Amino acid sequence: QQKVQQSPESLIVPEGGMASLNCTFSDRNSQYFWWYRQHSGEGPKALMSIFSNGDKKEGRFTAHLNKASLHVSLHIKDSQPSDSALYFCAVRVGTQVVGQLTFGRGTRLQVYA
Amino acid sequence: DPKIIQKPKYLVAVTGSEKILICEQYLGHNAMYWYRQSAKKPLEFMFSYSYQKLMDNQTASSRFQPQSSKKNHLDLQITALKPDDSATYFCASSQRGNQDTQYFGPGTRLLVL
């Protein structure tokens, strides 16, 4: 059964700083990866997806995937107080057309002004 | 306008009772899901539906029954409620396809006393 682990559990960075979030997964057949963000009292919102090894940049967010190392990361440049939220890594193996996502427990990011 | 509607936002129930959680999506998606989030566990997949047919069920208990009356509706009936069922239940939707992002609703927070 897929296990998704995220680190650190919590992270505090100053405004304008870089936040780095890590995620490891256990199933080598995993193909598709997302980062979600959840603000308090809301549902998770997809930030970005990554399916190929290497880096993918979207604005201030860069995801990095290394399937061989079973590792995916998210880097947030120029962090803003509005980035303060719970961040989830979500993994899909991809053997089913309508497939479940397996989530990690999340990293709680706090950005202080 | 919200594209995924979940009702009610909050729900308080007594042990042994039955409740129905409502979900409607207006994204034109053909796959819908239920996930559960509690303090004890990460976001956890429960069910997936596509074209009103059950695709996957990862819920051990038959007390949880999804119901799809229309292709953009996926309700969740929970019977014989237990305090351990207390959680936030999220509905999500996507197009069919491994690379398609799942979009989450705002959730229904259930408290069982």
Side-chain angles (χ1 to χ4, degrees), chain B residues 9 42 51-52 56 61 97 101 107:
Chain B
K9 189 170 176 63
Y51 295 112
Q52 297 183 262
D56 193 6
S61 172
T101 296

Side-chain angles (χ1 to χ4, degrees), chain A residues 17 35 41 45 58:
Chain A
W35 284 98
K45 287 188 172 59
E58 291 186 2

Side-chain angles (χ1 to χ4, degrees), chain B residues 42-102:
Chain B
L43 263 167
E44 186 181 28
F45 171 82
M46 300 178 73
F47 299 97
S48 61
Y49 262 67
S50 184
Y51 295 112
Q52 297 183 262
K53 292 185 179 176
L54 179 66
M55 302 299 290
D56 193 6
N57 176 359
Q58 294 291 324
T59 305
S61 172
S62 61
R63 297 186 299 108
F64 295 85
Q65 290 293 326
Q67 301 170 343
S68 181
S69 59
K70 299 180 189 177
K71 72 173 185 177
N72 68 325
H73 283 228
L74 185 63
D75 300 336
L76 181 64
Q77 179 184 38
I78 314 174
T79 58
L81 279 160
K82 302 177 180 181
D84 217 32
D85 298 330
S86 298
T88 301
Y89 291 80
F90 290 103
C91 174
S93 70
S94 74
Q95 296 291 10
R96 282 170 63 100
N98 285 314
Q99 298 187 9
D100 288 293
T101 296
Q102 293 183 17

Side-chain angles (χ1 to χ4, degrees), chain A residues 33-83:
Chain A
F33 305 85
W34 284 262
W35 284 98
Y36 280 81
R37 177 164 78 180
Q38 185 180 29
H39 286 104
S40 182
E42 298 180 3
K45 287 188 172 59
L47 277 176
M48 62 190 300
S49 60
I50 185 165
F51 306 143
S52 301
N53 284 330
D55 291 337
K56 181 179 181 182
K57 185 178 178 184
E58 291 186 2
R60 296 185 294 110
F61 300 89
T62 299
H64 176 79
L65 174 61
N66 185 330
K67 291 182 185 178
S69 301
L70 304 175
H71 183 257
V72 59
S73 60
L74 179 69
H75 305 277
I76 307 173
K77 182 180 164 183
D78 188 24
S79 298
Q80 301 298 307
S82 57
D83 293 329

Side-chain angles (χ1 to χ4, degrees), chain A residues 17-44:
Chain A
M18 171 78 85
S20 294
L21 290 66
N22 296 292
C23 173
T24 59
F25 51 96
S26 61
D27 191 334
R28 290 194 172 274
N29 295 312
S30 301
Q31 294 292 321
Y32 309 101
F33 305 85
W34 284 262
W35 284 98
Y36 280 81
R37 177 164 78 180
Q38 185 180 29
H39 286 104
S40 182
E42 298 180 3

